[in-house]
Amino acid sequence: MNIIVTGGAGFIGSNFVRMVLDESKDTFIVNLDKLTYAGNLGNLDGYIDNKNHKFIKGDICDGPLVEKLIDDYKINAIINFAAESHVDRSLVEPGVFIDTNVTGTLTLLKAALEKDIDRFVQISTDEVYGSLGEKGMFTEETPVSPNSPYSASKAAADHLVRSFGHSWGLKYNITRCSNNYGQYQFPEKMIPLMINNALNDKDLPIYGDGLYVRDWLYVYDHCAAVWKVLTEAKPGTTYNIGGNNEKTNLEVVNLILDRLGKDNSLIKHVKDRPGHDRRYAIDSSKIMAELGWKPTVTFEEGIVSTIDWYLNNKKWLDTVVSGEYQKYYKSMYSGR
Ligand code: NAD
Ligand code: DAU
C-alpha cells in the first residue's frame, strides 16, 4: 500500500510514520509536511532515508502538488495529521487555523476525489464535542459543539470530510482522539512544557484552578488505533479513541515533579485560558468492539517513559526550545 501521511514531521504524525516503517514492510509513505514551527525533521531521525519513506516539504493547501504526489507514487490512501494544533495559539491568531485545518483539508479532499483514491482518514479531536461537566463521556453520537477557534476549524474539516462521502461517495474515516502525550511532543503543550520548565527550575504555569480534566492517551496507542482504522474500518465510519486515563492538570504536574525530584513550590497558578473546556473524557467502546483496539499503556507507565525520554533527549529538547520558542513563551506567559 502507498500512502500520503500529512504532518508526518509533527508529534503524532512522526510517531505514526516511525511505527508504520518499523512494523509494516509493504507500506510506502510519502510524508508531506510544511515544516511549520511544530514540524521538525529531527522527529524522524534514523527514518528519513528509509527505503519505504519519501519526505516532501510542502503545503496541504497546494492542490497541484498533492495531485502530482498521488500520481507519481500511485497513492492508495491519505492520512491527514497536518494541522495547526495548539488551542492557545488559535485564541491569538485564528486565521492560519482556517487556512490549514479547513482549506488544507478541503484541498486534500478534492485531490482524493479527483484521483479516486481508496481511503481518506481524517485525524480529528475530541475537542469538536466541546466540554463535559463532572459526569459522562463523549460518544460518536455526542453533538459537535466546538468552543475554540482550533476546535471549530477541526469540526469544520470533519463536516467537509463527511460531506464528500455523502455527496460523492469518497471513502473516508474520521478519528477523534483525546490528549496525546509521549516522545517528540513540542513543548507548547502542557506535559512537555511542564517537563522542560521543571528541568530548568522555571515556574510551572497552571491555568486557573488546575482542576481541568483531560483523558490522556499514549501516542503509540493512538497510532496503533489509526493503523487499525486505515486497514480494517468500513468506509464512512467515525471512531473515538481515548486512553481511559482521566487526570486533573494538577495531578499530572505533581507526577512530573515527583519523577524529577522537584518541589511543588514551582507550581504557579496563572490567568486562565479564555473559554477553557473543563473536562474531556472519551468513550472508546465502538473502536474496541468493532476493531478490537484497546489502549495498552497506563498513564503511570506512559508518563514515566515520557519524562525519561525528555531526560535522555536533551539535545532534541534544547534545539526545539531555542529561537522562536523563546519569543512564543514570552508573549504567551510573561505577566500572565
Ligand atoms: P503538531 O502541531 O505536533 O504537528 C502538526 C504538523 O503538521 C507539523 O509537522 C506541521 O509542520 C505540519 N503542518 C502544519 N500546517 C501544515 C500545512 N499547511 N501543510 C503541511 N503540513 C503542515 O500536531 P500533533 O499534536 O501531532 O497533531 C496531529 C493531528 O492530531 C492534528 O490534526 C491534531 O488536530 C490532531 N490531534 C492532536 C491531539 C494531541 O493531543 N496532540 C489530540 C487530538 C487530535
Ligand atoms: O483533546 C485533544 C486536544 O488536546 C488536541 O485536539 C489538541 O491538538 C491538543 O493541543 C490538546 O488540547 P489541550 O488544550 O487539551 O492541550 P494542552 O496541552 O494545551 O493543555 C492541556 C491542559 O493543560 C488544558 O487544560 C490547559 C492546561 N494548560 C496548558 C498549558 C500549555 C495549563 O494549565 N498550562 C499550560 O501552560
Side-chain angles (χ1 to χ4, degrees):
M1 174 170 53
N2 296 345
I3 62 178
I4 291 179
V5 172
T6 72
F11 163 50
I12 306 174
S14 67
N15 276 286
F16 182 79
V17 166
R18 287 194 309 275
M19 183 197 80
V20 174
L21 292 175
D22 283 344
E23 295 180 16
S24 167
K25 297 302 166 203
D26 55 5
T27 303
F28 186 85
I29 298 176
V30 176
N31 183 348
L32 174 61
D33 196 297
K34 190 176 171 183
L35 296 181
T36 66
Y37 77 92
N40 178 0
L41 289 180
N43 295 0
L44 295 161
D45 220 14
Y47 290 81
I48 293 278
D49 297 326
N50 186 295
K51 68 177 178 33
N52 283 335
H53 178 251
K54 175 75 184 169
F55 182 80
I56 306 284
K57 182 171 189 257
D59 194 328
I60 60 168
C61 298
D62 183 347
L65 170 66
V66 176
E67 290 198 12
K68 184 169 171 6
L69 293 176
I70 294 173
D71 284 341
D72 288 356
Y73 292 96
K74 298 186 174 43
I75 294 297
N76 312 104
I78 296 176
I79 302 104
N80 184 26
F81 289 95
E84 287 294 331
S85 67
H86 193 36
V87 174
D88 291 328
R89 289 184 193 253
S90 81
L91 291 159
V92 177
E93 180 43 76
V96 67
F97 286 72
I98 304 305
D99 297 341
T100 288
N101 301 359
V102 184
T103 309
T105 303
L106 177 62
T107 307
L108 294 172
L109 288 166
K110 282 160 80 177
L113 191 67
E114 173 68 26
K115 299 293 174 186
D116 196 24
I117 68 158
D118 300 332
R119 193 61 63 100
F120 187 95
V121 181
Q122 173 69 2
I123 308 301
S124 184
T125 168
D126 60 359
E127 294 198 15
V128 299
Y129 297 122
S131 184
L132 291 164
E134 277 177 24
K135 293 211 176 93
M137 291 179 132
F138 297 131
T139 73
E140 290 81 356
E141 311 311 321
T142 303
V144 168
S145 180
N147 286 326
S148 71
Y150 161 71
S151 53
S153 70
K154 294 295 288 184
D158 288 9
H159 289 316
L160 281 171
V161 174
R162 189 184 159 279
S163 77
F164 270 62
H166 184 82
S167 302
W168 297 294
L170 181 78
K171 296 194 200 75
Y172 74 89
N173 300 100
I174 296 171
T175 62
R176 292 178 176 151
C177 64
S178 55
N179 287 59
N180 283 221
Y181 69 104
Q183 56 183 1
Y184 296 104
Q185 187 167 32
F186 190 76
E188 64 186 351
K189 306 287 166 37
M190 200 260 278
I191 287 182
L193 184 146
M194 299 298 177
I195 294 173
N196 182 50
N197 282 16
L199 282 174
N200 292 293
D201 294 309
K202 280 178 65 176
D203 289 351
L204 309 189
I206 291 278
Y207 298 165
D209 63 7
L211 299 179
Y212 294 85
V213 173
R214 297 293 183 262
D215 171 2
W216 293 97
L217 172 66
Y218 195 58
V219 65
Y220 185 88
D221 279 334
H222 178 208
C223 293
V226 171
W227 179 253
K228 268 198 171 281
V229 169
L230 172 69
T231 54
E232 296 177 29
K234 282 203 241 108
T237 47
T238 295
Y239 289 103
N240 283 353
I241 306 167
N244 202 21
N245 280 312
E246 281 186 62
K247 300 270 177 254
T248 66
N249 297 335
L250 276 173
E251 283 173 324
V252 173
V253 166
N254 278 311
L255 278 171
I256 293 172
L257 288 169
D258 279 356
R259 179 74 185 172
L260 293 176
K262 303 280 183 175
D263 196 85
N264 66 9
S265 59
L266 285 177
I267 292 176
K268 290 283 172 313
H269 289 266
V270 300
K271 190 169 162 220
D272 212 342
R273 173 186 280 176
H276 199 168
D277 286 338
R278 190 62 169 171
R279 175 173 164 257
Y280 304 145
I282 281 256
D283 178 345
S284 308
S285 50
K286 182 176 173 190
I287 189 169
M288 291 167 93
E290 293 184 8
L291 303 182
W293 172 87
K294 61 176 187 326
T296 61
V297 180
T298 65
F299 190 73
E300 287 64 26
E301 295 162 342
I303 193 71
V304 166
S305 53
T306 301
I307 294 168
D308 291 354
W309 185 86
Y310 282 90
L311 283 171
N312 294 327
N313 288 273
K314 278 284 286 158
K315 205 170 144 213
W316 180 92
L317 187 56
D318 289 345
T319 307
V320 299
V321 299
S322 63
E324 273 306 308
Y325 181 81
Q326 295 303 324
K327 284 194 207 147
Y328 164 78
Y329 196 89
K330 216 169 147 205
S331 70
M332 189 62 77
Y333 293 96
S334 61
R336 185 163 187 154

